[in-house]
Amino acid sequence: QVQFVESGGGLVQPGGSLRLSCLVSEDLWSITAMYWFRQPPGKEPELIAVSLSGGYTDHATSVKGRFEISRDNSKNTVYLEMNNLKPEDTAVYYCGNKPEGGWGQGTQVTVSS
């Protein structure tokens, strides 16, 4: 069982930027896949980014070109760089190593003027 702690969310204006962090309780280099998900109120979770230990990354169409997932294995931390934020990015953001669940507690991102 791996635990995750998300942080870095907050209130930001449209067009602004945030960097989310996900602290992982185990050695990150040993975890094959890490994911970022988001869930707006009343909506199903959406997979938005994946990072594999071999360096592969991919992002959902809704965030491609604006968000970037990365790893710092020395800090056991996964990041999500979020740029050009839009109101539709408002959601609770989660990280984890399985798409089925077992994610962290989440961090709220609100994009509003």
Side-chain angles (χ1 to χ4, degrees):
Q1 62 178 234
V2 186
Q3 295 181 341
F4 313 94
V5 180
E6 301 93 338
S7 62
L11 175 63
V12 63
Q13 293 182 330
S17 298
L18 286 173
R19 185 175 74 165
L20 306 185
S21 298
C22 173
L23 180 63
V24 182
S25 67
E26 304 291 338
D27 288 340
L28 184 55
W29 63 264
S30 70
I31 299 178
T32 302
M34 285 294 300
Y35 305 87
W36 281 100
F37 309 85
R38 67 183 183 186
Q39 186 171 25
K43 303 290 186 180
E44 293 297 312
E46 176 192 14
L47 173 64
I48 58 171
V50 58
S51 170
L52 303 185
S53 60
Y56 170 88
T57 64
D58 201 8
H59 304 80
T61 300
S62 57
V63 306
K64 191 168 294 184
R66 300 188 297 119
F67 293 9
E68 183 177 355
I69 188 173
S70 62
R71 296 183 177 208
D72 187 338
N73 288 338
S74 70
K75 296 182 172 62
N76 287 339
T77 300
V78 181
Y79 301 99
L80 186 68
E81 300 279 355
M82 310 167 67
N83 301 302
N84 191 24
L85 284 160
K86 305 176 184 297
E88 52 262 44
D89 296 320
T90 296
V92 179
Y93 284 71
Y94 302 91
C95 68
N97 67 334
K98 298 180 185 297
E100 310 89 67
W103 313 333
Q105 87 289 344
T107 186
Q108 176 72 48
V109 173
T110 302
V111 184
S112 179
S113 297

